[in-house]
Amino acid sequence: MKTQHHKNMTSLKGLVAATALFGSTSFAATLPVYNATELQNALKNASPGDEIVVHPGSYIGNKSTSGEGRAHFYSDQSGSLNSPIILRSVSKSNKQTLAGDDVDTSYVFLLEGDYWEIKNLKFTGAQKGIMLEGASHNTIDNVEVYNVGQEAVHFRISSSYNKLTNCYIHDTGKREGKEGTGEGVYIGTNNGHQESPADSSDFNTIGGCTIGPWVTAEAFDVKAGTTGTVIEYNHVDARGIVGTSASPEADSFVDLKGTDALVRNNVMDYKGDNNITHAIYSYREHTSSNIYDNEFNLPFAAGTFRAQEPTMHISNNQRLDGGSTLVWKDYQTRNIAYSLDQSIEQPNNGPYPCFDELNGACGGSPTSSSSSSSSSQASSSSSNSSNSSSSSESSSSSSSSSSHSSSATSCEQVAIGARTEVELSAASCVTFPESLQNKTLQVWDSNANDQCDFRGNIQDQSGSGNLNVTGNYASSDDFSGNTLYITPNNGCQFLKIRVY
């Protein structure tokens, strides 16, 4: 039921009486919600000026009741310039998590309306996090998006004049075989290398966001046909990007196919992940961009730019690693200009406070409340997506020591062929009902437990098979015997494995 807010109660009584005589009338309202069903109903029926306030509860959306089968939560309602629709958690310090139930399908939240303010929420557990389609003049602020199958936030189908600010995006590309589509923020539509039909998702701003680690593709992907994208005051941690090992490949912080883009005042760090081979990549459809006042930390020999098409206007970009290679290939220097194109400049909105649950603010590490505060909901939603493999999943068992002296009976029992969530204690082990000779081991970050991402070593009982897990996916066919000893080097106790 809508809670009305009016200064003049006498006038309100008159309006109620008029409503009784002449039919229903809509007023701006505060709409408290306490579960997914109530939230879905509020989103479907929101009016200009309404404020949807998400109280602590369970928000795992049901696509069959959302109003749009592609999304767990959906709205096509619009606010107005002076009366936006607001969607927020009741408390900034206790953000509620909107969740899907499968990283392979659908969106957590799909918006097809204009003039919304979405803030202080978390989104997780679907193929894509936040999707805007034909949605303009919206603000998305101080949100976290993580554990999604592909990209985290996507503006497309003429979604323009939107602002994504102070966000925290990490752990994308969780959909097996789609790691190359795990972008942080995606502007426009992939239409190969064609400019027509253009997706005129124009003049969108991404500011003050912390992106990474374990974002498997570019932090920012700006597609052909888009104009005026602003990328400013963001911090990028590129650990986990797939490089050339996936299709499509991803080896830069920013891909620019749209034009008249502004990339300024950002800090982008490869964090030792050599899959980053250049900072910014412009491709065929790009015609002009201003790139200035950024700090890049890259592998020393990497080029700052891969300038396939004119013109990157650059100024005052710093290489923190001391490298001096400007472009990927020498001929690309013709596509570099050393003066900015003032005709495409837009007002600078920074600096930004950045996501409030990060120690050190922009680019900082999460506090104990960030992500982990919603882990129970995320685990619940993700566990539904792994029901197909849960028949082979068993509770973790303790291993006797890191010297691999435990017997097979103390290891976790794992079936051949099933994707199995494994919870470890230090130097734990798993055992299979048959030899791993001539079989392939696959390892992924856990879906059911997203507190951390496993990085470490896996060795078979003979010591001849060995796999170092340094990203969100690894595989090997060099194992023998039927027991694997798994040793995390970052303290993370959760991973998903399959042998086939």
Side-chain angles (χ1 to χ4, degrees), residues 65-78:
T65 58
S66 70
E68 224 294 353
R70 294 177 295 157
H72 296 273
F73 297 96
Y74 166 75
S75 186
D76 61 356
Q77 302 299 300
S78 290

Side-chain angles (χ1 to χ4, degrees), residues 288-346:
S288 182
S289 58
N290 284 349
I291 302 168
Y292 59 97
D293 295 339
N294 300 286
E295 294 182 351
F296 301 123
N297 189 31
L298 294 161
F300 183 80
T304 307
F305 303 108
R306 186 169 179 176
Q308 298 272 102
E309 293 295 333
T311 298
M312 288 189 184
H313 299 269
I314 67 171
S315 175
N316 196 37
N317 297 293
Q318 303 296 320
R319 284 282 295 260
L320 302 181
D321 56 280
S324 59
T325 303
L326 180 66
V327 291
W328 182 62
K329 298 289 186 182
D330 287 343
Y331 75 87
Q332 295 178 359
T333 56
R334 69 189 182 191
N335 297 329
I336 298 292
Y338 293 93
S339 60
L340 300 183
D341 182 352
Q342 295 300 326
S343 71
I344 68 173
E345 275 296 299
Q346 299 179 50

Side-chain angles (χ1 to χ4, degrees), residues 29-343:
T30 298
L31 307 173
V33 298
Y34 298 88
N35 57 52
T37 300
E38 291 180 358
L39 175 55
Q40 287 180 339
N41 289 334
L43 293 170
K44 283 186 259 187
N45 297 298
S47 299
D50 282 356
E51 186 168 10
I52 303 170
V53 181
V54 185
H55 288 256
S58 176
Y59 295 96
I60 303 173
N62 184 337
K63 291 177 290 185
S64 67
T65 58
S66 70
E68 224 294 353
R70 294 177 295 157
H72 296 273
F73 297 96
Y74 166 75
S75 186
D76 61 356
Q77 302 299 300
S78 290
S80 66
L81 175 63
N82 296 318
S83 297
I85 298 169
I86 297 173
L87 172 64
R88 65 173 176 87
S89 293
V90 66
S91 170
K92 185 177 181 180
S93 62
N94 185 17
K95 298 176 184 67
Q96 297 306 296
T97 301
L98 278 55
D101 59 7
D102 188 343
V103 297
D104 287 334
T105 62
S106 308
Y107 319 141
V108 180
F109 179 51
L110 170 61
L111 178 62
E112 294 181 336
D114 303 332
Y115 293 106
W116 282 68
E117 294 179 9
I118 301 165
K119 56 189 177 182
N120 304 330
L121 288 161
K122 301 187 179 189
F123 301 83
T124 189
Q127 179 180 323
K128 303 180 183 185
I130 301 172
M131 174 69 77
L132 269 60
E133 293 186 346
S136 297
H137 301 285
N138 300 291
T139 298
I140 304 169
D141 182 65
N142 204 48
V143 301
E144 181 177 4
V145 186
Y146 65 101
N147 192 38
V148 292
Q150 292 183 230
E151 67 268 24
V153 180
H154 192 161
F155 301 160
R156 70 182 181 187
I157 312 178
S158 299
S159 293
S160 300
Y161 298 98
N162 299 292
K163 293 183 178 180
L164 173 65
T165 55
N166 304 308
C167 68
Y168 176 33
I169 291 171
H170 58 100
D171 292 275
T172 66
K174 296 287 188 177
R175 188 180 180 197
E176 184 183 350
K178 296 292 184 179
E179 295 84 0
T181 58
E183 293 90 349
V185 184
Y186 194 113
I187 307 294
T189 299
N190 179 20
N191 192 28
H193 296 297
Q194 304 300 315
E195 295 182 47
S196 180
D199 181 347
S200 53
S201 292
D202 299 335
F203 299 104
N204 295 293
T205 296
I206 307 101
C209 286
T210 298
I211 299 182
W214 321 125
V215 169
T216 57
E218 299 86 4
F220 308 98
D221 196 346
V222 183
K223 290 302 184 185
T226 64
T227 298
T229 300
V230 178
I231 299 170
E232 60 183 9
Y233 294 94
N234 302 284
H235 284 243
V236 177
D237 177 341
R239 284 176 294 172
I241 194 168
V242 293
T244 60
S245 64
S247 180
E249 300 175 357
D251 53 6
S252 60
F253 302 122
V254 184
D255 268 13
L256 291 178
K257 296 188 178 108
T259 195
D260 296 354
L262 307 179
V263 183
R264 60 193 180 193
N265 301 103
N266 301 282
V267 177
M268 303 186 185
D269 192 342
Y270 83 119
K271 291 285 187 178
D273 193 326
N274 288 309
N275 284 325
I276 286 285
T277 60
H278 41 277
I280 298 180
Y281 182 13
S282 71
Y283 208 56
R284 296 175 191 170
E285 302 79 12
H286 170 271
T287 56
S288 182
S289 58
N290 284 349
I291 302 168
Y292 59 97
D293 295 339
N294 300 286
E295 294 182 351
F296 301 123
N297 189 31
L298 294 161
F300 183 80
T304 307
F305 303 108
R306 186 169 179 176
Q308 298 272 102
E309 293 295 333
T311 298
M312 288 189 184
H313 299 269
I314 67 171
S315 175
N316 196 37
N317 297 293
Q318 303 296 320
R319 284 282 295 260
L320 302 181
D321 56 280
S324 59
T325 303
L326 180 66
V327 291
W328 182 62
K329 298 289 186 182
D330 287 343
Y331 75 87
Q332 295 178 359
T333 56
R334 69 189 182 191
N335 297 329
I336 298 292
Y338 293 93
S339 60
L340 300 183
D341 182 352
Q342 295 300 326
S343 71

